[in-house]
Amino acid sequence: MHNASPHELLQSLPQVEEVLHAPCVRALETKLPRASLVQAVRDAIGAARSAILAGSSVEADPALIAADAATRGLALTRPSLRRVINASGVIIHTNLGRSVLAPAAARAVADVAWGYSTLEYDTGAMARGSRHAHCEKLICALTGAEAAIAVNNNAAAVMMVLSEFARGHKAVVSRGELVEIGGSFRIPDIMALSDAAMVEVGTTNKTHPRDYALAVDDDTAMLLKVHPSNYRLIGFTESVPVRELRSIADAANARRAGGGVETLVYEDQGSGAFAALPCFGDYAEPTVAESLRQGADIVSFSGDKLLGGPQAGIIVGSKRLIDRLKANPLARALRLDKMTLAALEATLRLYLDEERAVREIPTLRMLCETADDVRPRAERLAHALAEAAGGAARIDIVSEISRAGGGALPMCDIPTWAVQVSFVRGDALSCERHLICERDVPVVCRIKKDAVLLDARTILDDDEIAEAARAFGEYFEEARA
């Protein structure tokens, strides 16, 4: 309907039954319930209607609408959450599931997923047990803490600690540490939700011990230190370490002589490093054990960042404080499921041998690999892509920079080798779209100066190299057609 008015286009939209009889839609009748097919058709018609009303130059072609409906229906048959090849060079990639589990952790998940488990059963006592017990002893052994509890992420951990110990009281925090921790979740918002009264001290770039000391009164329940793991202030800056916050809290508690609210020192570490690995260099995060030794009453951190495990928020500290958290109603609302606990326990056990942890926990291995370690993998990838391209692209190995990602080590440049695909046929944008949008196993890479870059650091093994080569082969086959 060339030059048809919007009203005429709307009138020409096909009926649901008409689209349902299109061959491409009928082909899905054995794969989807009729109700799901009908909804896919209605959504396709609705999308066309919205486009017409928005003034887009679309046609109310029944064949095009049927094709859209078929695409929508097929999307229901394909898993939305599925495996991805990460060739971006970002190791802890938030959009791609953050840390890759160690094989031992993946096996532990499978073991408890396929049947019943000892989730809340103590085989020694032959009675009901606690799900907290599976990881607590390991966490304490690795950090020196008296007790520990794990919840479903570190934002939940922060919320739980503030709610239990600072609800209705004051929590003092530096203005330079009022961070946004991802997904638009901000420390001030979490504090407000926990009903803790936030007291800001210092300036964005400088906070001194006296700023905290002057802010402390009889209603101060907490000195909160938030580690800025996802950014750095550099230049004319100063922050107050945990050991000095400890002295300020001790002085405040001594003045009260046992009366009134106790002032605690709490550090939200964010990334949560268990080991001070040499590869981190000058950008190394303080370890959990270091924060406890400096005098923090409580430390919380993520399980799926520098720890290299599953999504979790881990809280460590003195037994009397952790026992209060275990009794808090939020402990049940925020508790870990059996599969996460299995993965976390297996990951923690690897840390009992630091060399084994670096070797077997993928996040640590990728962070610690040198560029020379990555080079052979880049060469194998380049060879596979050259065969797949068949002359349709120039393949080069280039020096690049990887990133830790996940809000960890933001200033740390990690030298790496990447494979650069420069196009003789096709182009970088259409290739990227094919790699991500048209494959059951997407390949996520980068575009730089009209070329596609695949960082060999985050490609896990030769199977992923072969899969990436197949993806490029499919694209170049279409480009040759």
Side-chain angles (χ1 to χ4, degrees):
M1 299 183 67
H2 188 63
N3 293 328
S5 68
H7 178 71
E8 290 172 321
L9 288 172
L10 290 171
Q11 284 190 318
S12 67
L13 285 171
Q15 298 295 311
V16 170
E17 281 299 324
E18 180 184 349
V19 180
L20 283 170
H21 282 89
C24 62
V25 176
R26 294 189 65 180
L28 297 176
E29 289 177 349
T30 59
K31 297 180 179 180
L32 289 172
R34 180 176 172 82
S36 298
L37 266 182
V38 169
Q39 188 59 52
V41 170
R42 286 175 175 162
D43 289 345
I45 295 172
R49 181 182 296 109
S50 297
I52 292 169
L53 291 173
S56 299
S57 56
V58 299
E59 295 184 21
D61 186 341
L64 294 177
I65 292 172
D68 183 29
T71 299
R72 292 170 185 269
L74 279 171
L76 297 174
T77 68
R78 179 166 42 164
S80 175
L81 180 60
R82 58 192 193 275
R83 183 169 71 94
V84 165
I85 294 173
N86 176 15
S88 71
V90 180
I91 297 167
I92 308 168
H93 199 307
T94 297
N95 295 346
L96 304 183
R98 287 192 177 169
S99 289
V100 177
L101 290 182
R107 288 193 297 270
V109 172
D111 284 345
V112 300
W114 281 104
Y116 297 104
S117 67
T118 57
L119 178 63
E120 292 187 356
Y121 186 71
D122 185 336
T123 56
M126 298 176 63
R128 181 167 184 162
S130 168
R131 70 177 62 203
H132 302 309
H134 297 293
C135 294
E136 185 171 20
K137 287 183 180 179
L138 281 167
I139 295 170
C140 292
L142 293 165
T143 64
E146 289 183 8
I149 182 174
V151 293
N152 63 7
N153 63 20
N154 192 48
V158 175
M159 174 69 187
M160 190 177 183
V161 170
L162 290 170
S163 177
E164 175 61 32
F165 299 111
R167 177 178 291 276
H169 301 288
K170 295 177 181 177
V172 182
V173 61
S174 168
R175 287 186 174 89
E177 297 174 3
L178 293 176
V179 302
E180 182 173 304
I181 56 177
S184 299
F185 291 99
R186 297 176 173 179
I187 289 294
D189 297 337
I190 294 175
M191 293 184 78
L193 190 62
S194 70
D195 200 25
M198 182 176 69
V199 178
E200 302 175 39
V201 297
T203 63
T204 301
N205 62 319
K206 279 207 168 193
T207 303
H208 302 281
R210 66 177 179 271
D211 295 319
Y212 288 93
L214 290 172
V216 172
D217 61 22
D218 290 345
D219 195 39
T220 302
M222 185 174 291
L223 303 182
L224 169 61
K225 184 169 183 61
V226 183
H227 184 63
S229 55
N230 58 354
Y231 77 101
R232 287 290 184 274
L233 289 174
I234 58 175
F236 192 60
T237 65
E238 187 172 340
S239 62
V240 182
V242 168
R243 61 178 175 273
E244 295 192 42
L245 295 180
R246 175 76 272 155
S247 297
I248 296 167
D250 287 345
N253 291 329
R255 285 196 302 272
R256 299 189 196 112
V261 64
E262 179 185 8
T263 301
L264 301 176
V265 177
Y266 166 41
E267 181 174 17
D268 167 23
Q269 250 202 24
S271 298
F274 262 28
L277 299 174
C279 62
F280 296 166
D282 295 337
Y283 303 104
E285 310 280 1
T287 66
V288 177
E290 286 170 349
S291 292
L292 289 171
R293 285 196 297 268
Q294 286 187 14
D297 293 294
I298 308 168
V299 179
S300 69
F301 52 96
S302 294
D304 57 348
K305 292 186 179 180
L306 292 181
L307 183 62
Q311 177 182 299
I314 302 170
I315 310 169
V316 298
S318 67
K319 185 177 185 304
R320 68 182 179 89
L321 299 177
I322 299 300
D323 283 348
R324 284 178 59 179
L325 291 174
K326 290 177 180 177
N328 189 301
L330 286 174
R332 183 174 181 85
L334 303 175
R335 67 185 184 179
L336 295 179
D337 71 295
K338 62 183 180 182
M339 290 177 283
T340 305
L341 277 169
L344 181 58
E345 182 185 5
T347 303
L348 291 168
R349 190 168 288 111
L350 292 173
Y351 273 94
L352 295 173
D353 180 344
E354 191 172 294
E355 289 185 2
R356 185 185 178 196
V358 171
R359 188 172 63 249
E360 297 188 19
I361 297 174
T363 294
L364 296 190
R365 175 181 60 76
M366 286 186 277
L367 285 169
C368 292
E369 280 184 324
T370 66
D372 287 343
D373 295 329
V374 175
R375 178 79 192 211
R377 198 156 60 246
E379 290 173 351
R380 295 196 300 275
L381 176 61
H383 177 75
L385 294 182
E387 287 192 340
R394 189 178 73 249
I395 309 298
D396 298 294
I397 297 175
V398 297
S399 177
E400 271 292 331
I401 295 296
S402 298
R403 296 292 178 189
L409 309 173
M411 300 292 290
C412 186
D413 292 344
I414 306 173
T416 190
W417 291 102
V419 177
Q420 179 176 279
V421 181
S422 304
F423 294 84
V424 176
R425 285 193 294 273
D427 61 86
L429 287 175
S430 64
C431 182
E432 182 187 40
R433 179 171 181 79
H434 173 85
L435 296 176
I436 295 174
C437 300
E438 299 179 23
R439 305 203 76 252
D440 289 336
V441 181
V443 180
V444 178
C445 45
R446 288 186 283 143
I447 292 181
K448 185 176 182 180
K449 295 182 179 178
D450 299 322
V452 169
L453 286 180
L454 295 91
D455 192 325
R457 181 176 294 276
T458 49
I459 293 181
L460 300 177
D461 52 31
D462 287 346
D463 288 341
E464 291 204 342
I465 288 176
E467 184 67 40
R470 280 193 293 273
F472 274 89
E474 292 166 2
Y475 172 76
F476 287 120
E477 192 66 34
E478 291 181 4
R480 281 190 288 264

